[in-house]
Amino acid sequence: MKPVALVTGAGSGIGLAVAQRLCGDGWQVVGLARREQVLRERLPGGCDVLACDVADAGAVDRAMAQLLQSHGRLDAVVNCAGIVHRGLLQDQSLAHIDSQIDINLRGTIHVIRASIAALKATRGSIVNFSSTLGQHPVPGVSIYAATKGAIEALTRAMSIELAADGVRVNAISPALVRSEIWQAAGMSDGDYQALMAARAREYPLGRVGEPEDVSALVAFLLSPNAGWLTGLCIPVDGGSSVNLVRR
């Protein structure tokens, strides 16, 4: 029987790359996102799809019940779902503030909470997503950075809570990775390309990240080769975390 992995935010960017990588590695992937049609169009054949807003705790519980009814087990959770709204704090609407907290932080909490019993049964693994902006923020992303800092604290705390049950909890902290998140936040294509070019010049390895750079680490963290790793937040950043040029 294939191990079963739930991947949230699986319709685009890193989440899509993770779903594709795990599917290719032999996992039974269940992709979760708000838009079912996008999931069906983009995910590889053989992946199951669940339409769900992770900000809705009841919807998450129902999706988990459906997953377990269909597959009978859960071996891994990868929390990729996330959004960002750009703007200085005083200029952000309460709706934009709340939506980032609801999806990025509460959504991750809802999914973890709903999956704990099933993961204990399989001694499974959780991978959460932070961001280098959680440690090294720039102007205009204060709420996003706050949610990602909280994800790192949550990861460390849950790794201790679940260790006795053999459930490992780690996080990945990417720098700028090619995805749709900034255009979804209202950034124009021209500004996005300029951002990508600027960051590529700043990162020691000379390029921004690709989703596959991150999905490879997810695959490792979920594998037996990472069996003694828990409570980590690992930067995937082209060397930017040790680059002092911008600081």
Side-chain angles (χ1 to χ4, degrees):
M1 180 181 293
K2 289 183 177 181
V4 178
L6 174 65
V7 180
T8 74
S12 64
I14 292 172
L16 176 58
V18 169
Q20 292 170 330
R21 173 61 187 260
L22 296 182
C23 184
D25 286 352
W27 289 77
Q28 174 60 61
V29 174
V30 179
L32 187 149
R34 288 180 289 183
R35 297 176 294 171
E36 182 177 355
Q37 187 59 35
V38 171
L39 287 171
R40 294 194 181 280
E41 290 172 354
R42 296 183 177 181
L43 288 182
C47 289
D48 285 350
V49 301
L50 290 174
C52 176
D53 182 354
V54 296
D56 183 339
V60 170
D61 288 342
R62 291 189 293 274
M64 185 61 62
Q66 185 176 344
L67 182 155
L68 293 174
Q69 183 177 21
S70 298
H71 299 289
R73 63 183 294 146
L74 179 64
D75 299 86
V77 169
V78 187
N79 283 301
C80 298
I83 63 168
V84 60
H85 292 293
R86 295 184 301 143
L88 299 178
L89 180 59
Q90 66 266 25
D91 299 327
Q92 291 212 27
S93 68
L94 288 178
H96 280 173
I97 291 170
D98 288 344
S99 64
Q100 290 174 94
I101 295 171
D102 287 345
I103 294 174
N104 299 354
L105 179 55
R106 287 196 179 99
T108 298
I109 292 171
H110 294 332
V111 173
I112 292 174
R113 185 171 178 271
S115 67
I116 284 174
L119 290 173
K120 284 182 178 181
T122 59
R123 299 177 72 85
S125 183
I126 298 169
V127 176
N128 297 323
F129 269 85
S130 178
S131 165
T132 56
L133 292 172
Q135 295 292 327
H136 305 290
V138 297
V141 295
S142 56
I143 300 302
Y144 181 77
T147 64
K148 294 305 184 179
I151 290 296
E152 295 188 16
L154 176 68
T155 297
R156 290 189 290 269
M158 292 309 303
S159 73
I160 297 301
E161 286 195 14
L162 298 176
D165 296 292
V167 178
R168 298 183 297 107
V169 187
N170 292 290
I172 294 173
S173 179
L176 183 62
V177 172
R178 193 181 307 278
S179 73
E180 300 171 11
I181 190 170
W182 291 105
Q183 289 100 323
M187 183 179 286
S188 69
D189 288 342
D191 286 347
Y192 181 65
Q193 294 305 321
L195 173 66
M196 298 284 279
R199 291 293 180 268
R201 291 191 296 269
E202 294 166 356
Y203 294 164
L205 288 182
R207 66 174 177 89
V208 300
E210 299 295 337
E212 293 74 19
D213 294 321
V214 183
S215 63
L217 180 56
V218 173
F220 169 73
L221 288 173
L222 297 182
S223 76
N225 292 326
W228 209 43
L229 300 180
T230 196
L232 301 179
C233 184
I234 304 173
V236 181
D237 61 6
S240 64
S241 59
V242 294
N243 182 21
L244 301 180
V245 174
R246 294 177 57 216
R247 301 180 192 171

